[in-house]
Amino acid sequence: MTGKLPENVAYFARALRIAGVPVGPGAVVEAVEALAEGALGARDDVYWALHAIFVKKHEDSVVYDQAFRLFWRRRALIEKLMAQMSPVSPGGDSTPQKEEAGALRVAEAFAPPKREDDEPPRELTELSAQMTVSDRETLKSRDFAQMSAAEIARAKQLIAGLSLPDDRVPTRRFQAAHQGARIDPRRTFRRSLRGGGGSIDLAFRERAEVHPPVVALVDISGSMAEYSRIFLHFLHALTEKRHRVHSFVFGTRLTNVTRSLRARDPDDALALAGRAAPDWEGGTRISTALHTFNRIWSRRVLAGGAVVLLFTDGLERHLDGELSFEMDRLHRSCRQLVWLNPLLRFEAFEARASGIRAMLPHVDSFRPIHNLAAMADLCAALSPDADRKSDPRQWLKKAG
């Protein structure tokens, strides 16, 4: 192919790679060959053709969409390039737009931060290898949806290092103990027989303590995609540190991704989860997902005083009486039901949506989950001695 189109496709692929989307040279060649066939001429055709070649993970669709609109925003640029009548470097108007998810990463890809020539490379290496206290505090308060690719990478490291609470609960089973108030008759008799029965060597036992199961129900609809991807990294770190962690994702249907998140590499785990859930970044049917969970999975994973983490904004489209019924059933089946809602990051939030009002009476805790600080607060709130004086029903009073 002649003209400027191959150069623009290569430049666009390089920008995607800088923004965090893995695009190799083979994909660039494939994209150029696809556009050279001549069957593509409209903007939407080019959009979806490049999307099929460059985007391999569901979570990369948001970044691709931002990059495509920013790169090809000049009017009829694609059509001109297809006709080989456009210059190499695409431009566009400078009309300010509202910040969206992934916009910061795309902006940095097209305009990377400048480096001062007089700054020694060794200092740059030190700064990239270890964050200062100020950097950590700034990163903890930054919204997940507005993080750059580098900040998301650092956030993943901090998430993996979060300290989980010691929330072990006693079980009905007993285990051997060196001392205590409860004698183990069987072990005591065995010890006595070993010595010929001339003396009695007492053995003791105590109740075994285990961490309660953690069950996560994660909303992966379009409005929650940026936050749910980061929260799945938290669940992956939780799965590595504890045995009984069960993860489910839902949009228009419920999908069990527990086995996917057991992969050692977090990126591989999220890729497996994305392939297992066909409704990623689609619509939301909270009532249907909860009904499926209560009917099929509740008895399997909620035994032993499980803690349920419900991760959703509560914006149910098909609202009826079933949502309140399924929430009440879920609440009665677990020891603690924690609702994590990214909308609480707004100070002016009010529980006026019908779905939120139907769900709030059936939760034990209502918490924000939009940055690292909120995630650390969640870990502290799961401890047995955490302060649970706040009643989620107070949001209904404020809105009423």
Side-chain angles (χ1 to χ4, degrees), residues 91-110:
D93 51 24
S94 58
T95 304
Q97 299 179 355
K98 182 181 178 180
E99 286 191 0
E100 299 181 12
L104 182 56
R105 275 174 283 170
V106 175
E108 289 184 353
F110 287 105

Side-chain angles (χ1 to χ4, degrees), residues 51 57 86 95 111 117 147 164 179 207 283 323 331 393:
H51 184 281
K57 300 179 182 179
S86 176
T95 304
D117 297 333
M147 283 186 176
L164 300 176
Q179 58 184 0
R207 288 192 179 274
L323 179 58
H331 188 208
R393 298 169 184 80

Side-chain angles (χ1 to χ4, degrees), residues 19-21 55 57-67 69 99-106 142-153 155-156 159 218-234 250 270 279-282 311-313 341-343 345 369-372 375:
V21 180
V55 179
K57 300 179 182 179
H58 289 286
E59 56 266 26
D60 294 335
S61 296
V62 177
V63 179
Y64 172 84
D65 181 72
Q66 289 283 336
R69 288 195 287 118
E99 286 191 0
E100 299 181 12
L104 182 56
R105 275 174 283 170
V106 175
R142 185 179 293 276
D143 196 299
F144 288 140
Q146 304 303 331
M147 283 186 176
S148 64
E151 289 174 337
I152 288 181
K156 293 177 183 178
I159 289 174
V218 184
D219 188 346
I220 56 172
S221 60
S223 60
M224 296 286 296
E226 283 297 307
Y227 298 96
S228 59
R229 185 170 65 252
I230 299 295
F231 188 68
L232 286 176
H233 277 279
F234 169 75
F250 67 90
L270 261 67
D279 54 341
W280 202 286
E281 297 189 24
F311 186 87
T312 181
D313 53 12
N341 194 335
L343 294 180
R345 68 186 186 275
I369 190 73
H370 61 288
N371 55 25
L372 290 173
M375 198 168 288

Side-chain angles (χ1 to χ4, degrees), residues 11 16 36 43 53 61 68 91 99 132 162 174 193 211 217 247 259 275 278 299 305 311 313 325 333 343 364 380:
Y11 180 69
L16 286 176
R43 183 183 183 89
I53 297 174
S61 296
F68 187 89
E99 286 191 0
T132 63
L162 287 176
F174 290 90
L193 292 176
H211 292 289
L217 303 174
S247 303
R259 292 185 178 180
R275 286 194 291 268
R299 293 185 178 181
F311 186 87
D313 53 12
F325 174 80
S333 302
L343 294 180
D364 298 306

